[in-house]
């Protein structure tokens, strides 16, 4: 019997991390965990409650439960038992998630839950600090990247598909702002783990990219 491993996938926003992580989890028969959705759920909570200052957000943490449920085979994030998947993928919640993710106590709260999810291995987890902080000993670490323009176009298309009417320049500015915040925050900034393998998918088709990733996964078993 082949041992199960932990796959840590980090990278910039909108570079296809979750698509890749989901596809790899399916291929491997592993559990997929979208940690960005966990930060987004907390962001949604603070927006709904009108919490803006750090002390109030930290004080609210004991009242926040983030979880996952399967709905028709798709993973949905829950906030205090409510399926909030439909509310967390907006620009507003994304920006709020990016802000609350800079708070040390928020990170510690979620990292502990993420580490518990990996105890039995057999997990593909994506985020910003998975290979560096959550699972520094993960057997396979991938660091995904693509140019800001390619990522802005993907996010633009995603928003259009959801019925929103985005402005491309605003989406690009948002991608650049978020990159800056994700890489410059004091707490667990996005950075490549020393032993991570970089995959730049600006010029790869989805199929080409998955071939590369399945190959890397199989080489670790
Ligand atoms: O991957 P995403 O766009 O859904 O993530 C939303 C925000 O959460 C992003 O701005 C950075 C933050 N995040 C984080 O700080 N650490 C993670 N492991 C995952 C997401």
């Amino acid at each position: 019997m082949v041992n199960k491993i932990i796959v840590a996938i980090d990278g910039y926003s909108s570079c296809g991390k979750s698509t890749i992580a989901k596809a790899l989890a399916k291929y491997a028969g592993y559990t997929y965990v979208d940690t960005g959705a966990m930060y987004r759920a907390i962001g949604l909570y603070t927006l709904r409650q009108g919490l803006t200052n750090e002390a109030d957000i930290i004080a609210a943490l004991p009242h926040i439960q983030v979880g996952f449920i399967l709905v028709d085979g798709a993973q949905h994030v829950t906030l205090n038992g409510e399926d909030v998947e439909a509310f967390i993928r907006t620009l507003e919640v994304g920006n709020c998630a990016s802000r609350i993710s800079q708070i040390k106590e928020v990170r510690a709260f979620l990292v502990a839950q993420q580490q518990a999810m990996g105890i039995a291995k057999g997990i593909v987890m994506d985020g910003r600090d998975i290979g560096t902080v959550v699972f520094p000993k993960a057997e396979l670490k991938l660091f995904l990247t693509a140019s800001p323009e390619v990522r802005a176009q993907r996010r633009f298309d995603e928003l259009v598909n959801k019925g929103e009417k985005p402005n491309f320049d605003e989406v690009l500015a948002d991608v650049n702002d978020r990159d800056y915040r994700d890489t410059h925050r004091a707490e667990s900034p996005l950075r490549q783990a020393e032993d991570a393998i970089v995959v730049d998918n600006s010029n790869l088709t989805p199929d080409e990219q998955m071939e590369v990733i399945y190959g890397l996964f199989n080489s670790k078993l």
Side-chain angles (χ1 to χ4, degrees), residues 134-184:
V134 181
F135 297 123
K137 295 196 174 134
E139 288 82 356
L140 176 60
K141 298 180 184 177
L142 301 175
F143 190 87
L144 299 184
T145 179
S147 72
E149 290 73 19
V150 166
R151 290 185 284 127
Q153 188 63 53
R154 288 178 190 156
R155 179 150 294 201
F156 179 87
D157 294 343
E158 235 173 69
L159 292 167
V160 169
N161 282 336
K162 285 203 190 103
E164 294 190 32
K165 293 191 172 59
N167 167 298
F168 182 81
D169 291 338
E170 276 173 30
V171 175
L172 179 59
D174 186 76
V175 164
N176 283 320
D177 284 354
R178 202 175 302 185
D179 284 359
Y180 186 87
R181 279 203 300 271
D182 286 351
T183 51
H184 287 77

XYZ file of all heavy atoms in Angstrom, residues 134-184:
423
model
N 1.934 26.053 7.672
C 0.951 25.031 8.084
C 1.592 23.644 8.038
O 1.561 22.901 9.025
C -0.330 25.095 7.205
C -1.347 24.050 7.666
C -0.960 26.484 7.273
N 2.181 23.294 6.897
C 2.845 21.992 6.765
C 4.266 22.164 6.221
O 4.541 21.849 5.058
C 2.051 21.072 5.827
C 0.672 20.728 6.315
C -0.440 21.001 5.532
C 0.479 20.128 7.561
C -1.719 20.683 5.974
C -0.799 19.819 8.005
C -1.902 20.098 7.214
N 5.182 22.645 7.080
C 6.555 22.835 6.586
C 7.211 21.514 6.178
O 8.197 21.529 5.449
C 7.279 23.487 7.766
C 6.375 23.376 8.929
C 4.995 23.106 8.462
N 6.635 20.384 6.620
C 7.220 19.097 6.247
C 6.416 18.392 5.148
O 6.585 17.184 4.942
C 7.306 18.192 7.470
C 8.251 18.736 8.526
C 8.622 17.669 9.532
C 9.684 18.216 10.484
N 9.365 17.890 11.875
N 5.551 19.095 4.468
C 4.763 18.465 3.391
C 5.696 17.792 2.385
O 6.754 18.331 2.058
C 3.908 19.529 2.695
N 5.294 16.620 1.922
C 6.145 15.863 0.997
C 6.239 16.532 -0.372
O 7.254 16.428 -1.055
C 5.599 14.439 0.828
C 5.782 13.536 2.035
C 4.717 13.706 3.123
O 3.844 14.590 2.996
O 4.783 12.954 4.108
N 5.148 17.186 -0.801
C 5.183 17.886 -2.091
C 4.687 19.310 -1.887
O 3.584 19.529 -1.380
C 4.288 17.160 -3.122
C 4.163 17.843 -4.495
C 5.518 17.984 -5.192
C 3.193 17.064 -5.406
N 5.534 20.263 -2.268
C 5.158 21.673 -2.170
C 5.214 22.298 -3.555
O 6.250 22.226 -4.217
C 6.136 22.430 -1.268
C 6.162 21.926 0.159
C 7.143 22.735 0.971
C 7.263 22.179 2.380
N 8.269 22.909 3.163
N 4.105 22.896 -3.943
C 4.066 23.571 -5.241
C 3.859 25.057 -5.003
O 3.086 25.454 -4.115
C 2.903 23.036 -6.083
C 2.922 21.540 -6.387
C 1.644 21.143 -7.127
C 4.147 21.168 -7.214
N 4.546 25.872 -5.781
C 4.349 27.309 -5.717
C 3.901 27.756 -7.107
O 4.658 27.689 -8.067
C 5.639 28.015 -5.296
C 5.421 29.465 -4.975
C 5.033 29.857 -3.701
C 5.587 30.443 -5.948
C 4.818 31.199 -3.391
C 5.369 31.782 -5.648
C 4.980 32.160 -4.364
N 2.641 28.178 -7.196
C 2.078 28.525 -8.500
C 2.172 30.013 -8.768
O 1.977 30.830 -7.868
C 0.594 28.144 -8.558
C 0.269 26.678 -8.368
C -1.204 26.466 -8.547
C 1.052 25.831 -9.349
N 2.429 30.321 -10.007
C 2.482 31.731 -10.356
C 2.040 31.914 -11.800
O 2.050 30.984 -12.597
C 3.898 32.293 -10.070
O 3.931 33.656 -10.449
C 4.976 31.538 -10.788
N 1.583 33.131 -12.103
C 1.218 33.528 -13.467
C 1.291 35.049 -13.470
O 1.248 35.675 -12.402
C -0.194 33.061 -13.817
N 1.404 35.658 -14.635
C 1.564 37.113 -14.677
C 0.298 37.800 -14.124
O -0.800 37.254 -14.220
C 1.816 37.571 -16.107
O 0.622 37.461 -16.846
N 0.440 39.016 -13.556
C -0.732 39.728 -13.025
C -1.819 39.918 -14.089
O -3.013 39.802 -13.788
C -0.165 41.077 -12.583
C 1.279 40.832 -12.321
C 1.700 39.755 -13.288
N -1.422 40.182 -15.350
C -2.421 40.408 -16.410
C -3.228 39.133 -16.684
O -4.450 39.179 -16.840
C -1.753 40.882 -17.705
C -1.181 42.286 -17.635
C 0.090 42.405 -16.793
O 0.752 41.369 -16.552
O 0.410 43.534 -16.352
N -2.530 38.004 -16.737
C -3.218 36.725 -16.979
C -4.178 36.434 -15.817
O -5.329 36.035 -16.014
C -2.188 35.572 -17.151
C -2.842 34.205 -17.056
C -1.435 35.713 -18.473
N -3.729 36.720 -14.611
C -4.578 36.446 -13.444
C -5.763 37.395 -13.382
O -6.873 36.999 -13.028
C -3.744 36.515 -12.165
C -2.783 35.347 -12.080
C -2.040 35.310 -10.777
N -0.987 36.298 -10.718
C -0.849 37.195 -9.732
N -1.685 37.215 -8.742
N 0.134 38.040 -9.759
N -5.529 38.667 -13.754
C -6.638 39.635 -13.742
C -7.698 39.220 -14.771
O -8.891 39.310 -14.512
C -6.124 41.033 -14.037
N -7.239 38.744 -15.930
C -8.182 38.311 -16.959
C -9.020 37.130 -16.455
O -10.234 37.086 -16.655
C -7.423 37.906 -18.240
C -8.337 37.622 -19.429
C -9.144 38.856 -19.860
O -8.577 39.912 -20.097
N -10.467 38.713 -19.932
N -8.385 36.201 -15.748
C -9.117 35.036 -15.215
C -10.156 35.482 -14.190
O -11.284 35.021 -14.193
C -8.148 34.057 -14.548
C -7.286 33.312 -15.551
C -6.329 32.391 -14.819
N -5.339 31.848 -15.727
C -4.146 31.405 -15.356
N -3.801 31.426 -14.088
N -3.311 30.923 -16.232
N -9.750 36.406 -13.302
C -10.695 36.875 -12.289
C -11.827 37.663 -12.940
O -12.992 37.530 -12.564
C -9.977 37.741 -11.254
C -10.916 38.259 -10.207
C -10.274 38.474 -8.885
N -9.847 37.232 -8.276
C -9.631 37.087 -6.968
N -9.833 38.081 -6.163
N -9.235 35.943 -6.476
N -11.488 38.469 -13.941
C -12.486 39.242 -14.686
C -13.530 38.279 -15.279
O -14.739 38.469 -15.121
C -11.764 40.024 -15.793
C -12.659 40.860 -16.655
C -12.987 42.157 -16.280
C -13.162 40.355 -17.847
C -13.816 42.934 -17.093
C -13.992 41.121 -18.653
C -14.322 42.418 -18.267
N -13.048 37.223 -15.952
C -13.960 36.254 -16.582
C -14.847 35.572 -15.537
O -16.041 35.360 -15.764
C -13.165 35.191 -17.354
C -12.422 35.793 -18.549
O -12.764 36.919 -18.970
O -11.480 35.125 -19.059
N -14.242 35.254 -14.407
C -14.981 34.599 -13.322
C -16.120 35.496 -12.839
O -17.236 35.044 -12.633
C -14.020 34.424 -12.147
C -13.842 33.036 -11.593
C -12.714 33.066 -10.558
O -12.889 33.670 -9.466
O -11.644 32.543 -10.874
N -15.810 36.800 -12.666
C -16.819 37.746 -12.166
C -17.926 37.936 -13.196
O -19.108 37.998 -12.852
C -16.168 39.094 -11.804
C -15.225 39.054 -10.596
C -14.386 40.326 -10.493
C -16.002 38.850 -9.292
N -17.547 37.993 -14.484
C -18.554 38.129 -15.545
C -19.481 36.906 -15.520
O -20.709 37.023 -15.600
C -17.883 38.285 -16.930
C -18.912 38.153 -18.059
C -17.172 39.637 -17.025
N -18.890 35.728 -15.364
C -19.685 34.498 -15.311
C -20.664 34.485 -14.155
O -21.680 33.808 -14.193
C -18.779 33.260 -15.209
C -18.192 32.909 -16.566
O -18.756 33.265 -17.600
N -17.051 32.244 -16.560
N -20.324 35.236 -13.101
C -21.216 35.306 -11.933
C -22.260 36.397 -12.081
O -23.003 36.687 -11.157
C -20.396 35.611 -10.683
C -19.629 34.423 -10.208
C -19.301 34.581 -8.738
C -18.330 33.521 -8.317
N -16.979 34.051 -8.189
N -22.248 37.085 -13.240
C -23.254 38.120 -13.458
C -22.822 39.498 -12.963
O -23.592 40.444 -13.005
N -21.562 39.613 -12.459
C -21.088 40.941 -12.040
C -20.599 41.710 -13.268
O -20.406 41.138 -14.335
C -19.969 40.798 -10.995
C -20.483 40.192 -9.685
C -19.480 40.253 -8.545
O -18.684 41.201 -8.495
O -19.503 39.339 -7.708
N -20.425 43.023 -13.134
C -19.971 43.839 -14.262
C -18.650 44.505 -13.907
O -18.584 45.710 -13.630
C -21.023 44.907 -14.594
C -22.318 44.335 -15.144
C -23.207 45.432 -15.708
C -24.402 44.869 -16.435
N -25.246 44.014 -15.552
N -17.574 43.725 -13.899
C -16.289 44.283 -13.461
C -15.657 45.192 -14.498
O -16.007 45.152 -15.685
C -15.432 43.040 -13.257
C -16.008 42.016 -14.172
C -17.466 42.312 -14.298
N -14.724 46.018 -14.030
C -13.940 46.880 -14.903
C -12.527 46.296 -14.880
O -11.963 46.072 -13.817
C -13.984 48.296 -14.300
C -12.973 49.233 -14.924
O -11.763 49.011 -14.848
N -13.470 50.288 -15.534
N -11.949 46.012 -16.069
C -10.676 45.273 -16.125
C -9.568 45.975 -15.352
O -8.826 45.339 -14.599
C -10.227 45.004 -17.564
C -8.948 44.206 -17.601
C -8.965 42.817 -17.443
C -7.717 44.830 -17.750
C -7.795 42.068 -17.431
C -6.534 44.092 -17.734
C -6.574 42.712 -17.581
N -9.461 47.304 -15.530
C -8.377 48.025 -14.850
C -8.506 47.940 -13.324
O -7.512 47.855 -12.611
C -8.350 49.498 -15.284
C -7.912 49.619 -16.739
O -7.257 48.676 -17.232
O -8.240 50.640 -17.370
N -9.759 47.961 -12.862
C -9.969 47.837 -11.410
C -9.583 46.448 -10.928
O -8.990 46.289 -9.859
C -11.443 48.092 -11.068
C -11.769 49.563 -10.925
C -13.272 49.799 -10.746
O -13.970 48.913 -10.185
O -13.733 50.862 -11.195
N -9.931 45.449 -11.732
C -9.604 44.071 -11.338
C -8.088 43.893 -11.303
O -7.541 43.299 -10.372
C -10.269 43.047 -12.292
C -9.839 41.614 -11.953
C -11.788 43.153 -12.211
N -7.398 44.468 -12.305
C -5.928 44.369 -12.348
C -5.313 45.097 -11.148
O -4.393 44.581 -10.490
C -5.397 44.946 -13.662
C -3.876 44.929 -13.833
C -3.307 43.516 -13.755
C -3.475 45.575 -15.174
N -5.844 46.284 -10.841
C -5.321 47.039 -9.692
C -5.537 46.238 -8.409
O -4.674 46.199 -7.525
C -6.020 48.394 -9.596
N -6.686 45.572 -8.342
C -7.000 44.774 -7.162
C -6.035 43.590 -7.022
O -5.569 43.268 -5.926
C -8.446 44.285 -7.296
C -8.913 43.580 -6.063
O -9.205 44.293 -5.086
O -8.966 42.338 -6.048
N -5.712 42.951 -8.158
C -4.757 41.829 -8.148
C -3.400 42.326 -7.635
O -2.775 41.702 -6.772
C -4.621 41.206 -9.564
C -3.374 40.310 -9.666
C -5.863 40.392 -9.914
N -2.966 43.481 -8.147
C -1.670 44.026 -7.727
C -1.668 44.417 -6.245
O -0.703 44.140 -5.529
C -1.278 45.222 -8.596
C -0.776 44.759 -9.962
O -0.050 43.767 -10.051
N -1.183 45.440 -11.012
N -2.779 45.032 -5.800
C -2.873 45.410 -4.371
C -2.806 44.180 -3.483
O -2.139 44.156 -2.462
C -4.233 46.073 -4.070
C -4.271 47.490 -4.574
O -3.234 47.993 -5.034
O -5.368 48.091 -4.500
N -3.557 43.167 -3.897
C -3.621 41.966 -3.063
C -2.268 41.258 -3.033
O -1.830 40.781 -1.988
C -4.715 41.035 -3.575
C -5.151 40.102 -2.490
C -6.296 39.249 -2.863
N -7.471 40.009 -3.249
C -8.628 39.437 -3.527
N -8.742 38.133 -3.489
N -9.665 40.154 -3.870
N -1.587 41.232 -4.181
C -0.235 40.637 -4.215
C 0.661 41.362 -3.220
O 1.422 40.740 -2.483
C 0.410 40.800 -5.603
C -0.151 39.832 -6.626
O -1.028 39.027 -6.263
O 0.301 39.889 -7.791
N 0.543 42.697 -3.243
C 1.401 43.494 -2.367
C 1.108 43.164 -0.907
O 2.017 42.895 -0.125
C 1.202 44.992 -2.638
C 2.195 45.818 -1.843
C 3.466 46.085 -2.358
C 1.877 46.270 -0.575
C 4.394 46.799 -1.606
C 2.798 46.980 0.182
C 4.057 47.250 -0.352
O 4.969 47.937 0.404
N -0.196 43.162 -0.565
C -0.549 42.869 0.841
C -0.143 41.450 1.223
O 0.387 41.212 2.310
C -2.058 43.038 1.054
C -2.498 44.461 1.262
C -3.836 44.523 2.010
N -4.897 43.850 1.278
C -5.666 44.448 0.381
N -5.508 45.723 0.101
N -6.609 43.777 -0.241
N -0.384 40.484 0.331
C -0.078 39.080 0.658
C 1.427 38.868 0.861
O 1.835 38.033 1.661
C -0.576 38.138 -0.458
C -2.097 37.969 -0.457
O -2.757 38.438 0.486
O -2.627 37.358 -1.412
N 2.253 39.619 0.123
C 3.699 39.377 0.209
C 4.401 40.290 1.213
O 5.537 40.036 1.568
C 4.388 39.559 -1.171
O 3.992 40.804 -1.714
C 4.027 38.448 -2.122
N 3.727 41.357 1.644
C 4.387 42.307 2.544
C 3.859 42.312 3.962
O 4.341 43.064 4.792
C 4.304 43.738 1.983
C 5.211 43.935 0.822
N 4.921 43.458 -0.434
C 6.423 44.508 0.727
C 5.910 43.759 -1.257
N 6.838 44.384 -0.577
